[in-house]
Amino acid sequence: MKINNYHKVNTLDEAYALLTSDKSSSIIAGGAWLKFSKKTIENAIDLSNLNLDQIVETKEAFEIGCMTTLRQVEVNKSLMTFCNGVITKSINEIMGVQIRNIATIGGTVSGKYGFSDLITPLLVLDTKLQFYKNGIITLEEFLNSKDFKNDILVKIIISKKIGKAKFISMKKTSNDFSVINTAVFKNKEECKIAVGARPNGALLAIKAMEFLDNNKTYSEEVINECASIASKEIPFGSNIRGSKEYRIELCRVLIKRGLQEVLK
Ligand SMILES: Cc1cc2nc3c(=O)[nH]c(=O)nc-3n(C[C@H](O)[C@H](O)[C@H](O)COP(=O)(O)OP(=O)(O)OC[C@H]3O[C@@H](n4cnc5c(N)ncnc54)[C@H](O)[C@@H]3O)c2cc1C
């Protein structure tokens, strides 16, 4: 990565003007992932003066500024108990504390990384994103769209819905990327199931979710069938971490374990 001009901005207006002034301008958050890039950045835009590294807890939600580090999120006491600590659990498996002290939640979500361990649980929670120009949209809408490249992610808003959740990932070694990761959420109203690191980005297993919603009791057979539906409906691929076939099998097993946990 080569940076021609480094700007520590004082307002989001200033950041947006710089971002849209040149195609090779880029927001720089922790810079942990960007530094691997070979590109030349005309304007690197640093948001660290803007007080966007806070977690604000209201009655309804957690509002997490884009520059909040993964470590800040991981050690937040309220998040440790929210939905069985599903967010905390997904983060504390990412590399070591040194990386988590640098990488931010804004850089993680904006990057839409296929390997992301955090996006998967965020997808089963009610997660909304506040952009500077486009306002508030759902995480799902963002993941399915290519329209937000020239906008600034300001906040990640997680509604405090009550329910049980479970994140499970399969890593060959603790510092590697996940071969696959899964998250499930259940309360009286709904069930949500997401699968990430397929190796592409996280998706909701809609048919499996509907199947579970249509069942009143959660027997072993129902759980097995739900996990099997998820493993068949989610598209998987192969890479150096695992084959498509291996991921299909892991998906079935991890979703089953997740459901057993949240349906207890
Ligand atoms: C060695 C290493 C190993 C890793 N292993 C894992 C792993 O196992 N699992 C996992 O889930 N993650 C892993 N990660 C990824 C990490 O968790 C972060 O997701 C990643 O580093 C991006 O965060 P950042 O703050 O460094 O973003 P940056 O690198 O600064 O930025 C990433 C991208 O997001 C854009 N961006 C940043 N902030 C904003 C914003 N506010 N608005 C709009 N665009 C923005 C940038 O322009 C850039 O394109 C790893 C990272 C590293 C460096």
Side-chain angles (χ1 to χ4, degrees):
M1 173 177 70
K2 180 172 181 260
I3 293 175
N4 286 340
N5 301 291
Y6 194 92
H7 304 266
K8 209 164 187 177
V9 295
N10 291 315
T11 63
L12 279 170
D13 240 357
E14 197 187 332
Y16 186 73
L18 282 164
L19 184 64
T20 49
S21 68
D22 190 296
K23 269 194 179 155
S24 55
S25 291
S26 184
I27 303 286
I28 184 158
W33 198 256
L34 259 184
K35 76 170 185 194
F36 293 127
S37 142
K38 292 211 164 34
K39 63 184 177 188
T40 298
I41 297 176
E42 184 54 31
N43 296 303
I45 305 154
D46 179 347
L47 307 177
S48 58
N49 267 352
L50 304 185
N51 239 351
L52 293 171
D53 59 346
Q54 316 284 325
I55 303 175
V56 177
E57 187 180 351
T58 67
K59 233 173 146 189
E60 294 83 29
F62 295 96
E63 300 190 357
I64 308 178
C66 62
M67 292 295 283
T68 307
T69 65
L70 296 185
R71 181 67 177 164
Q72 285 175 273
V73 179
E74 179 189 3
V75 298
N76 181 279
K77 290 242 157 44
S78 301
L79 284 168
M80 281 179 190
T81 51
F82 170 65
C83 286
N84 312 89
V86 69
I87 293 174
T88 315
K89 170 83 167 57
S90 72
I91 291 177
N92 64 27
E93 291 179 3
I94 297 173
M95 291 296 285
V97 173
Q98 292 91 338
I99 290 283
R100 304 201 292 272
N101 268 329
I102 295 169
T104 65
I105 190 164
T108 296
V109 173
S110 301
K112 294 188 187 177
Y113 304 110
F115 56 72
S116 177
D117 290 311
L118 178 57
I119 290 177
T120 311
L122 288 180
L123 205 50
V124 299
L125 301 171
D126 276 342
T127 305
K128 295 195 175 66
L129 308 177
Q130 184 179 326
F131 281 89
Y132 181 56
K133 281 291 165 191
N134 283 286
I136 296 179
I137 60 158
T138 64
L139 172 63
E140 212 185 339
E141 203 181 324
F142 171 68
L143 294 176
N144 292 330
S145 162
K146 290 192 174 115
D147 291 346
F148 300 91
K149 278 203 173 127
N150 259 341
D151 206 344
I152 302 165
L153 174 59
V154 181
K155 261 188 218 169
I156 290 85
I157 304 165
I158 307 167
S159 296
K160 283 184 169 171
K161 66 176 179 180
I162 295 169
K164 280 185 170 181
K166 181 80 181 171
F167 171 82
I168 312 179
S169 72
M170 164 70 189
K171 292 191 180 204
K172 287 186 176 164
T173 66
S174 60
N175 277 351
D176 200 358
F177 293 112
S178 295
V179 179
I180 185 174
N181 58 42
T182 60
V184 298
F185 170 89
K186 182 80 183 88
N187 67 9
K188 275 186 195 147
E189 288 84 40
E190 61 173 353
C191 160
K192 289 230 172 147
I193 300 171
V195 183
R198 310 172 286 112
N200 297 325
L203 288 178
L204 288 172
I206 305 288
K207 287 182 190 162
M209 283 157 47
E210 283 169 3
F211 172 80
L212 207 69
D213 278 342
N214 291 332
N215 273 280
K216 295 273 175 291
T217 55
Y218 306 118
S219 62
E220 204 56 27
E221 290 74 43
V222 168
I223 290 175
N224 282 336
E225 182 58 18
C226 182
S228 168
I229 294 171
S231 69
K232 284 177 191 146
E233 72 168 300
I234 296 285
F236 290 102
S238 303
N239 67 0
I240 51 163
R241 284 183 185 79
S243 67
K244 176 178 172 175
E245 292 71 23
Y246 183 43
R247 286 191 164 94
I248 291 172
E249 195 48 22
L250 281 175
C251 175
R252 194 185 58 73
V253 174
L254 300 191
I255 297 283
K256 178 181 166 179
R257 289 182 189 166
L259 289 173
Q260 283 171 332
E261 191 78 23
V262 299
L263 297 174
K264 264 201 278 201

